[in-house]
Amino acid sequence: MTKQNMAVSDACSGLNMVVTMAAVSNSTVFTQKPPSAPGGCVSVSVSRKKFLKDPDINGTQWINSWVESMRASSPTHIKSTPLSPTEEDHSSWMVHRPSALEMFDQIMDASRGKQIVMFLDYDGTLSPIVDDPDRAFMSDKMRATVKKLARCFPTAIVSGRCRDKVYSLVKLAELYYAGSHGMDIKGPEEGTKYKKGGRAGILFQPASEYLPMIDEVYKELVEETKTIPGAKVENNRFCASVHFRCVDEKRWSDVAQRVKSVLKQYPKLRLSQGRKVFEIRPEIKWDKGKALEFLLESLGFANCTDAFPVYIGDDRTDEDAFKILRDRGQGSGILVSKFPKDTNASYSLQEPSEVMDFLQQLVDRKRLSYMGRTRLSYF
């Protein structure tokens, strides 16, 4: 076992935690520099070891900073607080993160002569964000669009949810699925033509040894939060999620404190934050960015320049994948957000309906390209 420092950054809330982790001997260790915290947000540096081992050290400071930053970034406050982005701020942000729809031709020019590979988050990207995560259904029109997309390009769903749960929501057998933030990956159940050195039906689970621990933590979190109205705990197999979207803001700090009190008993697990959700995951260096790299390698595009990966996501956890694309100088990251955020993505879309329009344009462009080649073949 070796130890290293790892930075966990929350792009939405401005919460930064510098952690010390024990790297699993059979996993590849990657290092990365976290993106800077958004302007105006509170940035807190906390020792991960002390954070877990001693609940009194910086505990109140951590909770208070987290709650205030969450309130500032919450959509319920954006319309009413002085911290909300102005039209000028939004316009400036759009200059640096322009609409992927408006820049569609530029993206296509960059992908010319390369194999486009699609990576899609689920919640907030293919489906709207809803109060009950069990009711985050994608529309039939979106499902039909993604089905057509998979016929044109190798396509993967990369989600924090349990892989089986995502599959039950998407219901498309021709896709790759990476659940639990990429810790549970499986290839298409139906045959795929995209096998350039790759493997259909692949199965990769780098954190299998943690399954009993996650089950145990899940049960403790359910028990610990059952008296907080609106709190919901989800077992995503390789990680556990505590949703507080329906919790009164006055109880947010209570949720954070209870999650922290449970997690301090499990030094091999780490805490991260998404959109009104706490994520408890194994402390191995594996995330959506590593899942993207693994899938590219499985498809035969590990060290070649003839692939053009496109990753679309809306959450802090998607930043790991955006950063991989940025560092590789390959492909495009597209953030789904109506509000300015600090991000490693190159482009933006405002909501799932725009995602669907973008995907449909990809399909249409592919078909036009195919028709053009077919016509030329007659001469």
Side-chain angles (χ1 to χ4, degrees):
M1 302 287 284
T2 59
K3 289 186 176 180
Q4 68 175 49
N5 287 332
M6 180 177 71
V8 180
S9 175
D10 189 328
C12 296
S13 69
L15 174 65
N16 293 308
M17 292 186 291
V18 179
V19 307
T20 301
M21 66 170 279
V24 179
S25 58
N26 62 352
S27 65
T28 303
V29 177
F30 299 85
T31 59
Q32 70 178 56
K33 181 180 179 181
S36 58
C41 293
V42 181
S43 180
V44 183
S45 182
V46 184
S47 165
R48 175 66 171 178
K49 185 175 181 180
K50 291 182 179 180
F51 173 78
L52 290 175
K53 296 292 187 183
D54 188 345
D56 296 323
I57 296 179
N58 290 329
T60 302
Q61 179 186 4
W62 183 86
I63 296 295
N64 291 341
S65 298
W66 172 79
V67 170
E68 288 306 314
S69 61
M70 279 303 298
R71 284 174 177 163
S73 63
S74 171
T76 60
H77 287 262
I78 283 176
K79 296 180 181 179
S80 59
T81 69
L83 294 176
S84 62
T86 64
E87 290 185 8
E88 183 178 353
D89 293 333
H90 188 269
S91 297
S92 176
W93 186 73
M94 289 298 293
V95 169
H96 298 288
R97 302 292 182 270
S99 167
L101 287 172
E102 295 178 6
M103 304 300 291
F104 183 81
D105 287 339
Q106 177 178 309
I107 296 173
M108 290 299 95
D109 287 344
S111 69
R112 185 167 296 146
K114 302 177 182 179
Q115 172 64 62
I116 293 176
V117 185
M118 294 299 305
F119 299 89
L120 305 168
D121 181 32
Y122 183 78
D123 294 275
T125 300
L126 299 181
S127 72
I129 294 294
V130 295
D131 291 339
D132 183 355
D134 289 335
R135 300 193 63 79
F137 303 124
M138 64 191 300
S139 67
D140 291 339
K141 189 173 181 180
M142 177 69 87
R143 181 175 292 103
T145 300
V146 174
K147 185 178 181 68
K148 289 184 289 186
L149 182 77
R151 291 173 180 168
C152 298
F153 315 104
T155 302
I157 306 295
V158 186
S159 172
R161 287 179 181 260
C162 168
R163 176 171 56 82
D164 291 339
K165 180 65 176 179
V166 179
Y167 184 85
S168 70
L169 291 167
V170 178
K171 301 175 183 176
L172 294 175
E174 53 266 64
L175 305 182
Y176 292 82
Y177 288 88
S180 301
H181 301 284
M183 285 183 281
D184 189 8
I185 302 177
K186 193 173 187 302
E189 292 187 4
E190 294 183 356
T192 175
K193 60 183 178 181
Y194 303 106
K195 289 185 180 179
K196 186 183 176 183
R199 311 181 298 277
I202 56 173
L203 182 63
F204 184 62
Q205 298 173 333
S208 298
E209 64 185 279
Y210 290 89
L211 288 175
M213 187 181 298
I214 293 295
D215 287 337
E216 185 178 324
V217 168
Y218 165 75
K219 293 174 183 177
E220 290 192 28
L221 289 169
V222 169
E223 184 65 24
E224 192 68 28
T225 61
K226 67 181 182 181
T227 59
I228 301 180
K232 182 180 179 62
V233 185
E234 187 176 13
N235 188 340
N236 291 315
R237 196 177 184 203
F238 289 90
C239 63
S241 304
V242 181
H243 300 270
F244 54 93
R245 182 168 297 276
C246 296
V247 175
D248 189 297
E249 286 185 29
K250 296 178 181 178
R251 302 292 303 272
W252 285 3
S253 59
D254 193 10
V255 175
Q257 188 62 59
R258 296 191 188 198
V259 170
K260 183 180 177 182
S261 69
V262 171
L263 196 57
K264 70 180 181 180
Q265 306 171 54
Y266 298 91
K268 291 185 178 181
L269 300 179
R270 65 186 176 95
L271 176 67
S272 62
Q273 177 192 327
R275 294 178 63 175
K276 294 188 178 179
V277 60
F278 281 122
E279 304 279 4
I280 294 88
R281 294 187 254 171
E283 200 176 52
I284 65 171
K285 196 63 182 81
W286 193 265
D287 51 40
K288 290 183 177 182
K290 303 302 178 289
L292 180 151
E293 290 184 313
F294 176 83
L295 285 167
L296 284 176
E297 181 178 358
S298 298
L299 287 163
F301 296 115
N303 299 306
C304 60
T305 58
D306 58 350
F308 191 85
V310 177
Y311 190 106
I312 307 179
D314 76 309
D315 195 46
R316 185 208 63 79
T317 57
D318 299 306
E319 290 298 325
D320 296 314
F322 294 151
K323 186 176 187 302
I324 289 293
L325 296 182
R326 188 194 69 181
D327 291 348
R328 290 167 66 113
Q330 183 179 20
S332 292
I334 303 174
L335 175 69
V336 184
S337 176
K338 291 184 178 181
F339 309 105
K341 291 182 181 179
D342 189 34
T343 181
N344 289 298
S346 301
Y347 303 96
S348 63
L349 293 168
Q350 292 202 20
E351 54 193 359
S353 62
E354 288 197 354
V355 173
M356 183 168 63
D357 291 342
F358 179 82
L359 299 182
Q360 185 60 56
Q361 285 196 40
L362 281 174
V363 172
D364 292 343
R365 181 63 65 94
K366 179 72 172 182
R367 287 176 174 173
L368 286 173
S369 175
Y370 175 76
M371 291 173 63
R373 290 196 302 271
T374 302
R375 291 193 188 99
L376 289 173
S377 68
Y378 287 106
F379 295 93

PDB file of all heavy atoms in Angstrom, residues 228-248:
ATOM      1  N   ILE A 228     -34.690  12.744   8.988  1.00  0.00           N
ATOM      2  CA  ILE A 228     -34.610  14.021   8.265  1.00  0.00           C
ATOM      3  C   ILE A 228     -35.573  13.966   7.083  1.00  0.00           C
ATOM      4  O   ILE A 228     -35.334  13.245   6.111  1.00  0.00           O
ATOM      5  CB  ILE A 228     -33.183  14.292   7.768  1.00  0.00           C
ATOM      6  CG1 ILE A 228     -32.207  14.336   8.939  1.00  0.00           C
ATOM      7  CG2 ILE A 228     -33.133  15.603   6.988  1.00  0.00           C
ATOM      8  CD1 ILE A 228     -30.770  14.587   8.542  1.00  0.00           C
ATOM      9  N   PRO A 229     -36.679  14.692   7.127  1.00  0.00           N
ATOM     10  CA  PRO A 229     -37.657  14.670   6.035  1.00  0.00           C
ATOM     11  C   PRO A 229     -37.023  15.057   4.702  1.00  0.00           C
ATOM     12  O   PRO A 229     -36.304  16.058   4.616  1.00  0.00           O
ATOM     13  CB  PRO A 229     -38.697  15.713   6.478  1.00  0.00           C
ATOM     14  CG  PRO A 229     -38.562  15.775   7.962  1.00  0.00           C
ATOM     15  CD  PRO A 229     -37.102  15.579   8.236  1.00  0.00           C
ATOM     16  N   GLY A 230     -37.275  14.243   3.681  1.00  0.00           N
ATOM     17  CA  GLY A 230     -36.774  14.540   2.344  1.00  0.00           C
ATOM     18  C   GLY A 230     -35.439  13.906   2.011  1.00  0.00           C
ATOM     19  O   GLY A 230     -35.076  13.817   0.828  1.00  0.00           O
ATOM     20  N   ALA A 231     -34.692  13.461   3.002  1.00  0.00           N
ATOM     21  CA  ALA A 231     -33.392  12.825   2.731  1.00  0.00           C
ATOM     22  C   ALA A 231     -33.613  11.448   2.122  1.00  0.00           C
ATOM     23  O   ALA A 231     -34.491  10.702   2.550  1.00  0.00           O
ATOM     24  CB  ALA A 231     -32.571  12.711   4.007  1.00  0.00           C
ATOM     25  N   LYS A 232     -32.819  11.121   1.128  1.00  0.00           N
ATOM     26  CA  LYS A 232     -32.957   9.827   0.448  1.00  0.00           C
ATOM     27  C   LYS A 232     -31.577   9.235   0.215  1.00  0.00           C
ATOM     28  O   LYS A 232     -30.695   9.907  -0.323  1.00  0.00           O
ATOM     29  CB  LYS A 232     -33.694   9.999  -0.883  1.00  0.00           C
ATOM     30  CG  LYS A 232     -33.925   8.692  -1.640  1.00  0.00           C
ATOM     31  CD  LYS A 232     -34.656   8.947  -2.942  1.00  0.00           C
ATOM     32  CE  LYS A 232     -34.877   7.646  -3.730  1.00  0.00           C
ATOM     33  NZ  LYS A 232     -35.711   6.675  -3.021  1.00  0.00           N
ATOM     34  N   VAL A 233     -31.404   7.982   0.619  1.00  0.00           N
ATOM     35  CA  VAL A 233     -30.125   7.295   0.438  1.00  0.00           C
ATOM     36  C   VAL A 233     -30.276   6.254  -0.662  1.00  0.00           C
ATOM     37  O   VAL A 233     -31.238   5.481  -0.670  1.00  0.00           O
ATOM     38  CB  VAL A 233     -29.664   6.621   1.747  1.00  0.00           C
ATOM     39  CG1 VAL A 233     -28.275   6.009   1.557  1.00  0.00           C
ATOM     40  CG2 VAL A 233     -29.652   7.617   2.897  1.00  0.00           C
ATOM     41  N   GLU A 234     -29.331   6.245  -1.574  1.00  0.00           N
ATOM     42  CA  GLU A 234     -29.393   5.348  -2.735  1.00  0.00           C
ATOM     43  C   GLU A 234     -28.158   4.455  -2.752  1.00  0.00           C
ATOM     44  O   GLU A 234     -27.026   4.935  -2.598  1.00  0.00           O
ATOM     45  CB  GLU A 234     -29.471   6.182  -4.015  1.00  0.00           C
ATOM     46  CG  GLU A 234     -29.716   5.383  -5.279  1.00  0.00           C
ATOM     47  CD  GLU A 234     -29.877   6.285  -6.498  1.00  0.00           C
ATOM     48  OE1 GLU A 234     -29.557   7.486  -6.418  1.00  0.00           O
ATOM     49  OE2 GLU A 234     -30.319   5.785  -7.543  1.00  0.00           O
ATOM     50  N   ASN A 235     -28.374   3.159  -2.902  1.00  0.00           N
ATOM     51  CA  ASN A 235     -27.268   2.211  -3.013  1.00  0.00           C
ATOM     52  C   ASN A 235     -26.947   2.019  -4.493  1.00  0.00           C
ATOM     53  O   ASN A 235     -27.711   1.388  -5.222  1.00  0.00           O
ATOM     54  CB  ASN A 235     -27.634   0.874  -2.365  1.00  0.00           C
ATOM     55  CG  ASN A 235     -26.442  -0.070  -2.285  1.00  0.00           C
ATOM     56  OD1 ASN A 235     -25.456   0.085  -3.011  1.00  0.00           O
ATOM     57  ND2 ASN A 235     -26.513  -1.049  -1.394  1.00  0.00           N
ATOM     58  N   ASN A 236     -25.820   2.566  -4.931  1.00  0.00           N
ATOM     59  CA  ASN A 236     -25.411   2.459  -6.328  1.00  0.00           C
ATOM     60  C   ASN A 236     -24.364   1.370  -6.533  1.00  0.00           C
ATOM     61  O   ASN A 236     -23.543   1.437  -7.431  1.00  0.00           O
ATOM     62  CB  ASN A 236     -24.892   3.812  -6.818  1.00  0.00           C
ATOM     63  CG  ASN A 236     -26.002   4.832  -6.920  1.00  0.00           C
ATOM     64  OD1 ASN A 236     -27.084   4.541  -7.433  1.00  0.00           O
ATOM     65  ND2 ASN A 236     -25.772   6.027  -6.396  1.00  0.00           N
ATOM     66  N   ARG A 237     -24.404   0.400  -5.654  1.00  0.00           N
ATOM     67  CA  ARG A 237     -23.566  -0.790  -5.666  1.00  0.00           C
ATOM     68  C   ARG A 237     -22.125  -0.512  -5.305  1.00  0.00           C
ATOM     69  O   ARG A 237     -21.631  -1.010  -4.317  1.00  0.00           O
ATOM     70  CB  ARG A 237     -23.645  -1.522  -7.003  1.00  0.00           C
ATOM     71  CG  ARG A 237     -23.104  -2.946  -6.881  1.00  0.00           C
ATOM     72  CD  ARG A 237     -23.216  -3.744  -8.144  1.00  0.00           C
ATOM     73  NE  ARG A 237     -22.771  -5.110  -7.917  1.00  0.00           N
ATOM     74  CZ  ARG A 237     -22.346  -5.920  -8.879  1.00  0.00           C
ATOM     75  NH1 ARG A 237     -22.331  -5.512 -10.131  1.00  0.00           N
ATOM     76  NH2 ARG A 237     -21.950  -7.145  -8.592  1.00  0.00           N
ATOM     77  N   PHE A 238     -21.407   0.274  -6.095  1.00  0.00           N
ATOM     78  CA  PHE A 238     -20.018   0.577  -5.779  1.00  0.00           C
ATOM     79  C   PHE A 238     -19.866   1.932  -5.090  1.00  0.00           C
ATOM     80  O   PHE A 238     -18.757   2.364  -4.801  1.00  0.00           O
ATOM     81  CB  PHE A 238     -19.163   0.541  -7.046  1.00  0.00           C
ATOM     82  CG  PHE A 238     -18.967  -0.848  -7.583  1.00  0.00           C
ATOM     83  CD1 PHE A 238     -19.861  -1.385  -8.503  1.00  0.00           C
ATOM     84  CD2 PHE A 238     -17.913  -1.635  -7.151  1.00  0.00           C
ATOM     85  CE1 PHE A 238     -19.693  -2.672  -8.993  1.00  0.00           C
ATOM     86  CE2 PHE A 238     -17.736  -2.921  -7.640  1.00  0.00           C
ATOM     87  CZ  PHE A 238     -18.631  -3.445  -8.557  1.00  0.00           C
ATOM     88  N   CYS A 239     -20.957   2.605  -4.856  1.00  0.00           N
ATOM     89  CA  CYS A 239     -20.949   3.848  -4.103  1.00  0.00           C
ATOM     90  C   CYS A 239     -22.339   4.060  -3.518  1.00  0.00           C
ATOM     91  O   CYS A 239     -23.309   3.441  -3.953  1.00  0.00           O
ATOM     92  CB  CYS A 239     -20.544   5.039  -4.979  1.00  0.00           C
ATOM     93  SG  CYS A 239     -21.674   5.393  -6.344  1.00  0.00           S
ATOM     94  N   ALA A 240     -22.427   4.918  -2.518  1.00  0.00           N
ATOM     95  CA  ALA A 240     -23.706   5.248  -1.902  1.00  0.00           C
ATOM     96  C   ALA A 240     -23.943   6.740  -2.061  1.00  0.00           C
ATOM     97  O   ALA A 240     -23.003   7.541  -1.995  1.00  0.00           O
ATOM     98  CB  ALA A 240     -23.711   4.864  -0.424  1.00  0.00           C
ATOM     99  N   SER A 241     -25.192   7.134  -2.297  1.00  0.00           N
ATOM    100  CA  SER A 241     -25.528   8.540  -2.512  1.00  0.00           C
ATOM    101  C   SER A 241     -26.556   8.985  -1.483  1.00  0.00           C
ATOM    102  O   SER A 241     -27.523   8.271  -1.229  1.00  0.00           O
ATOM    103  CB  SER A 241     -26.100   8.752  -3.922  1.00  0.00           C
ATOM    104  OG  SER A 241     -25.202   8.295  -4.913  1.00  0.00           O
ATOM    105  N   VAL A 242     -26.339  10.159  -0.906  1.00  0.00           N
ATOM    106  CA  VAL A 242     -27.300  10.752   0.014  1.00  0.00           C
ATOM    107  C   VAL A 242     -27.851  12.013  -0.648  1.00  0.00           C
ATOM    108  O   VAL A 242     -27.161  13.027  -0.767  1.00  0.00           O
ATOM    109  CB  VAL A 242     -26.649  11.107   1.368  1.00  0.00           C
ATOM    110  CG1 VAL A 242     -27.699  11.693   2.310  1.00  0.00           C
ATOM    111  CG2 VAL A 242     -26.002   9.876   1.994  1.00  0.00           C
ATOM    112  N   HIS A 243     -29.094  11.941  -1.109  1.00  0.00           N
ATOM    113  CA  HIS A 243     -29.745  13.058  -1.791  1.00  0.00           C
ATOM    114  C   HIS A 243     -30.431  13.967  -0.764  1.00  0.00           C
ATOM    115  O   HIS A 243     -31.129  13.485   0.129  1.00  0.00           O
ATOM    116  CB  HIS A 243     -30.786  12.543  -2.776  1.00  0.00           C
ATOM    117  CG  HIS A 243     -30.226  11.654  -3.847  1.00  0.00           C
ATOM    118  ND1 HIS A 243     -29.766  12.137  -5.048  1.00  0.00           N
ATOM    119  CD2 HIS A 243     -30.044  10.304  -3.881  1.00  0.00           C
ATOM    120  CE1 HIS A 243     -29.335  11.123  -5.787  1.00  0.00           C
ATOM    121  NE2 HIS A 243     -29.481  10.004  -5.114  1.00  0.00           N
ATOM    122  N   PHE A 244     -30.240  15.278  -0.921  1.00  0.00           N
ATOM    123  CA  PHE A 244     -30.905  16.211  -0.013  1.00  0.00           C
ATOM    124  C   PHE A 244     -31.645  17.305  -0.775  1.00  0.00           C
ATOM    125  O   PHE A 244     -31.925  18.381  -0.255  1.00  0.00           O
ATOM    126  CB  PHE A 244     -29.899  16.827   0.969  1.00  0.00           C
ATOM    127  CG  PHE A 244     -28.701  17.478   0.327  1.00  0.00           C
ATOM    128  CD1 PHE A 244     -28.697  18.831   0.032  1.00  0.00           C
ATOM    129  CD2 PHE A 244     -27.576  16.741   0.041  1.00  0.00           C
ATOM    130  CE1 PHE A 244     -27.596  19.433  -0.553  1.00  0.00           C
ATOM    131  CE2 PHE A 244     -26.462  17.333  -0.536  1.00  0.00           C
ATOM    132  CZ  PHE A 244     -26.471  18.691  -0.834  1.00  0.00           C
ATOM    133  N   ARG A 245     -31.992  17.021  -2.031  1.00  0.00           N
ATOM    134  CA  ARG A 245     -32.714  17.981  -2.861  1.00  0.00           C
ATOM    135  C   ARG A 245     -34.057  18.365  -2.246  1.00  0.00           C
ATOM    136  O   ARG A 245     -34.527  19.500  -2.396  1.00  0.00           O
ATOM    137  CB  ARG A 245     -32.913  17.396  -4.266  1.00  0.00           C
ATOM    138  CG  ARG A 245     -33.619  18.320  -5.244  1.00  0.00           C
ATOM    139  CD  ARG A 245     -33.503  17.772  -6.649  1.00  0.00           C
ATOM    140  NE  ARG A 245     -32.112  17.724  -7.057  1.00  0.00           N
ATOM    141  CZ  ARG A 245     -31.446  18.763  -7.563  1.00  0.00           C
ATOM    142  NH1 ARG A 245     -32.052  19.919  -7.702  1.00  0.00           N
ATOM    143  NH2 ARG A 245     -30.192  18.631  -7.916  1.00  0.00           N
ATOM    144  N   CYS A 246     -34.677  17.418  -1.548  1.00  0.00           N
ATOM    145  CA  CYS A 246     -35.997  17.670  -0.962  1.00  0.00           C
ATOM    146  C   CYS A 246     -35.920  17.998   0.534  1.00  0.00           C
ATOM    147  O   CYS A 246     -36.942  18.029   1.212  1.00  0.00           O
ATOM    148  CB  CYS A 246     -36.907  16.455  -1.176  1.00  0.00           C
ATOM    149  SG  CYS A 246     -37.268  16.117  -2.909  1.00  0.00           S
ATOM    150  N   VAL A 247     -34.721  18.217   1.028  1.00  0.00           N
ATOM    151  CA  VAL A 247     -34.539  18.540   2.442  1.00  0.00           C
ATOM    152  C   VAL A 247     -34.595  20.054   2.627  1.00  0.00           C
ATOM    153  O   VAL A 247     -34.017  20.808   1.835  1.00  0.00           O
ATOM    154  CB  VAL A 247     -33.184  17.999   2.953  1.00  0.00           C
ATOM    155  CG1 VAL A 247     -32.934  18.452   4.396  1.00  0.00           C
ATOM    156  CG2 VAL A 247     -33.147  16.484   2.857  1.00  0.00           C
ATOM    157  N   ASP A 248     -35.282  20.514   3.677  1.00  0.00           N
ATOM    158  CA  ASP A 248     -35.329  21.938   3.994  1.00  0.00           C
ATOM    159  C   ASP A 248     -33.898  22.448   4.196  1.00  0.00           C
ATOM    160  O   ASP A 248     -33.083  21.796   4.844  1.00  0.00           O
ATOM    161  CB  ASP A 248     -36.136  22.151   5.278  1.00  0.00           C
ATOM    162  CG  ASP A 248     -36.406  23.620   5.553  1.00  0.00           C
ATOM    163  OD1 ASP A 248     -35.427  24.373   5.764  1.00  0.00           O
ATOM    164  OD2 ASP A 248     -37.591  24.012   5.578  1.00  0.00           O
TER     165      ASP A 248
END
